[in-house]
Amino acid sequence: MINGLTTVGGPTKLARIAFYVDPEVKEKLEKLAGIQRRTLSNLMAVIAEKAVEEAEKEELADEPE
C-alpha cells in the first residue's frame, strides 16, 4: 500500500501525472478505453506517448539539413 492506495501488480517505476478535463471528455475517454479493453490510465499513457513521438518526428522534419 502506497499513500493509502493499494497498488495493482506491485510497485511501479512509472511517473504519475494528474490533470483535469471536462466531464464529457472523461466519459468519452472511458468509453474508448472500454472499447479498446484498456484502463483509462493505460489509454492516456498510449495517447501521451504517441503525441510525444509525433512531436519529435515533426521537430526532426523541421530541422534544416
Side-chain angles (χ1 to χ4, degrees), residues 25-52:
V25 172
K26 181 181 181 236
E27 287 177 20
K28 291 177 182 181
L29 288 167
E30 288 173 331
K31 184 175 182 178
L32 180 59
I35 290 168
Q36 294 184 7
R37 302 184 72 119
R38 300 177 184 272
T39 63
L40 180 56
S41 179
N42 179 259
L43 175 66
M44 299 311 300
V46 169
I47 290 171
E49 287 173 11
K50 286 181 181 179
V52 169

Side-chain angles (χ1 to χ4, degrees), residues 1 6 11 13 16-17 21-22 33-34 37-38 48 52 54:
M1 190 178 291
T6 302
K13 293 181 180 181
R16 181 182 297 223
I17 297 175
V21 295
D22 187 276
R37 302 184 72 119
R38 300 177 184 272
V52 169
E54 288 179 24

Side-chain angles (χ1 to χ4, degrees), residues 5-24:
L5 301 174
T6 302
T7 57
V8 178
T12 181
K13 293 181 180 181
L14 299 176
R16 181 182 297 223
I17 297 175
F19 60 94
Y20 295 92
V21 295
D22 187 276
E24 291 177 18

